[in-house]
Amino acid sequence: MNRRRAVWSSGLAVVLAATGAAALPAVPAAAGPAAAAKLHDDFNGDGYADLAVTAPGASVSGRKGAGYVAVLYGSATGLKTSTKQVFSQNSAGVPGSAEAADRFGSAVATADLDRDGYADLIVGAGGEDTTAGTDAGTVTVLWGGKTGLSGGATLGGGAEYDGLGDRGHLTAGDVNGDGAPDVVTVVNAHDLRVQNGPFARDGSAVHGTQVVKDEFDSRYLDLAAGDLDGDGITDVAATANDGDEWDARRVVYWTGTHDGLTPSEVVRGNEPAGRLEGGEHLAVGDVNRDGRADIVVGRALEGADSDVDTPLAKGGRIAWIPGTANGPDGTQAVVMNLDTAGVPGTAKPGSGFGTGLSVADVDGDHYGDVAVGAPGVSTGGQVIVLRGTAKGPTGTGAKAFGQDTAGVPGAGEPGDAFGAAVRLVDANRDGRAELAVGAPGENTGAGSVWVLRATASGITPSGSFTFASGTLGTVAADGRLGSAFGS
C-alpha cells in the first residue's frame, strides 16, 4: 500500500476584487437559495442546474488565448441560450485582466463556497503570469446570486510554471466533513493543495490550507471528488503517472476524514502489474446504485509499452471501479472498449474512447449512466452512452451520437473532436440528465457545443441544439469552445 505524508501549511494570500457582472432577469421569489442548496451547479438559485463551458483559447480584446467561460442557465424546458453569461478577466468584478495565453477557463468546477445557497463557479487560468513567475496560474471564484454569477475573488496562485488550475487539476468537495466545500488543486505537479472552506467574499479560506505531499515524482493528470466509501465525507480520486514514465498510469485516491485528506492509496487490481492500469481522464458517480460514488477512468492514449499488460487498449478503453465501504475496489473493475459486446462501433487505433467522461442518470432509473467521448471515432467524433446497472456499466442498450446521427445538427468533419468533453446535467429537473458535448476542433478550432435531450428511454437526438461563438457574441478563431465543462 502506497502511503504518503500529509503536511499542513498556512492559509493562502488572496486578492480582494470588486463585485459586479452582466445580470440576468431575477428568478421568482419562491425559488430562492434554499432550492439551490441541493445543487452544486445552480448559480441563480432557481432550483435548476446550470452549465458552464470553457473556451480557453479564445481571444479577448485582441489578446489571443486569453480565454473565457460561458454559462447557460437551466429552466423547466432545459438549458436556454437566451439566458447566458460570458466571463473573461475583462468582465466587471473578475480579478485580473485578459492577457495573451492566460487560458482563463483551462479548468472549471462548481460548489457553494460561501454557503449562501447559491452555487459558485471556480475557474482556473493555467497560463496566468503572476509575481510568482511565468505560467504560475491562478484560480478564481465567480460568486453565484439571484441574478446569476457576478463579481469574483482570487482563491490562489501557483509557483513558476505550475499551471495552477490547468485541465484536470481542479475539483471541489467537502473533504473534511464540516459542511463547507473545499477547493482542491495540484501544485508542484505532484502535491494536492486543499483550501478549507467556507470562503469569505475576499476569497480567503476560513480554515486555512492543507498540502498533501507526494513523496514520489508523480504527475497527476485528472482529479475528481465524490464519496467513494459512503461515509458522508467527500474523497478525491486522481489518475497519475510516474514522473517521466508517461505510460505508467495508475489510479490513486485520498480518503476524506474530519481531519482532512489522508495520504494517497493506489487502487489495486487483477492486472499483471498488481495495480489497476490507469489513464488520462476520470469521472465519479454512483453507477451501481449502492449509495457510494464509483470511479470511471478513461485511457484514450495507446501504443505505450504498458499496453502489453492492458486489456482492451486498442482504440482506448474505460475502467469502472466500484466504491465500497473500504474505498475503491480495483479487483471488481469492469473494463470496456469499442469491441465490448453491445457497444456501438469497432475498436480502431486513434478512436480516443475514454477522452470525455461524465456519470449521471439519463433515463430516470436511478442508476448512474456513463457518457464516454470518442473524438477519433468515425468522421468528427462520437459520444457513447452506457447504461448503468447493479454490476456496473453495460454495453446492452448503449447508444452512440455524433454529427452524423439523424437529428443532431451539423456534419462531422475530421478534427472536430466531438466528444472531447462531455457533461451530463439535469437542467430541467425531471430526474433525467441531458447530454452536453464539446467539439473544440469544430470549424478549424473555433469550437462548438451540442445539447441532447433525455427521455425515459435515455438520450435522444430529437430536439437537440448547438451553439457557438455567434450565439455567445465572442471571437470564434481558435477559441476551442467546448474544451471543458464545470462539474
Side-chain angles (χ1 to χ4, degrees):
M1 184 174 293
N2 186 13
R3 295 279 186 179
R4 294 177 171 88
R5 183 169 53 92
V7 178
W8 293 84
S9 72
S10 60
L12 294 174
V14 295
V15 178
L16 180 63
T19 59
L24 291 172
V27 299
K38 299 179 181 179
L39 296 172
H40 67 86
D41 48 5
D42 179 8
F43 304 125
N44 62 353
D46 63 356
Y48 297 102
D50 308 313
L51 179 72
V53 58
T54 74
S59 294
V60 177
S61 300
R63 307 299 197 270
K64 186 175 181 180
Y68 69 81
V69 178
V71 175
L72 264 63
Y73 286 81
S75 71
T77 57
L79 295 168
K80 299 170 64 176
T81 59
S82 60
T83 53
K84 62 183 181 296
Q85 290 180 293
V86 176
F87 294 92
S88 72
Q89 289 180 294
N90 278 359
S91 297
V94 177
S97 59
E99 299 171 317
D102 276 354
R103 292 185 288 112
F104 185 76
S106 56
V108 279
T110 58
D112 182 5
L113 296 188
D114 57 358
R115 293 195 298 182
D116 66 351
Y118 298 99
D120 309 307
L121 182 62
I122 310 159
V123 184
E128 178 82 17
D129 296 340
T130 72
T131 55
T134 302
D135 292 339
T138 60
V139 175
T140 299
V141 58
L142 307 181
W143 301 113
K146 191 174 182 180
T147 57
L149 294 168
S150 63
T154 300
L155 297 181
E160 188 166 21
Y161 301 112
D162 219 9
L164 186 75
D166 263 335
R167 193 210 71 79
H169 289 178
L170 173 64
T171 192
D174 182 10
V175 302
N176 58 10
D178 66 354
D182 311 303
V183 175
V184 183
T185 52
V186 175
V187 293
N188 304 319
H190 51 69
D191 300 329
L192 290 191
R193 182 164 69 186
V194 183
Q195 293 174 263
N196 296 293
F199 288 77
R201 296 291 287 196
D202 64 359
S204 59
V206 172
H207 295 301
T209 299
Q210 175 192 19
V211 175
V212 186
K213 290 285 188 177
D214 184 315
E215 60 184 302
F216 304 105
D217 189 24
S218 302
R219 294 293 183 271
Y220 293 121
L221 308 174
D222 202 0
L223 291 180
D227 186 1
L228 303 174
D229 53 14
D231 67 353
I233 303 176
T234 302
D235 312 301
V236 176
T239 55
N241 64 0
D242 296 326
D244 293 333
E245 298 180 56
W246 69 271
D247 66 319
R249 303 297 163 86
R250 65 180 186 274
V251 183
V252 301
Y253 67 98
W254 299 260
T255 300
T257 74
H258 289 294
D259 294 319
L261 294 177
T262 64
S264 67
E265 299 184 35
V266 175
V267 175
R268 302 294 174 179
N270 295 317
E271 297 181 358
R275 66 188 185 195
L276 186 73
E277 188 70 33
E280 306 81 38
H281 312 279
L282 62 77
V284 298
D286 187 4
V287 175
N288 60 358
R289 195 181 170 184
D290 68 350
R292 304 181 185 93
D294 311 313
I295 301 173
V296 181
V297 178
R299 183 185 175 99
L301 297 180
E302 55 192 310
D305 292 342
S306 58
D307 285 351
V308 175
D309 296 326
T310 304
L312 308 179
K314 185 178 180 181
R317 71 166 203 172
I318 66 165
W320 170 74
I321 307 167
T324 74
N326 297 316
D329 185 356
T331 66
Q332 300 183 49
V334 173
V335 181
M336 307 175 71
N337 78 344
L338 288 165
D339 282 342
T340 299
V343 177
T346 302
K348 298 178 181 179
S351 296
F353 183 75
T355 300
L357 291 170
S358 187
V359 179
D361 180 10
V362 304
D363 53 15
D365 66 356
H366 304 295
Y367 290 96
D369 307 300
V370 184
V372 185
V377 167
S378 69
T379 303
Q382 287 186 342
V383 175
I384 294 89
V385 180
L386 308 172
R387 293 179 52 248
T389 74
K391 296 182 179 179
T394 177
T396 302
K399 298 179 181 179
F401 304 94
Q403 292 185 74
D404 53 357
T405 302
V408 176
E413 299 172 320
D416 282 352
F418 185 94
V422 298
R423 174 82 171 115
L424 293 170
V425 55
D426 182 10
N428 62 358
R429 204 170 59 188
D430 67 351
R432 299 186 291 263
E434 298 94 75
L435 172 63
V437 183
E442 175 79 3
N443 295 329
T444 62
S448 292
V449 177
W450 281 255
V451 177
L452 281 66
R453 307 292 185 184
T455 70
S457 300
I459 299 298
T460 176
S462 177
S464 60
F465 67 93
T466 184
F467 66 92
S469 58
T471 299
L472 300 174
T474 56
V475 176
D478 302 316
R480 309 290 298 176
L481 177 65
S483 291
F485 295 104
S487 60

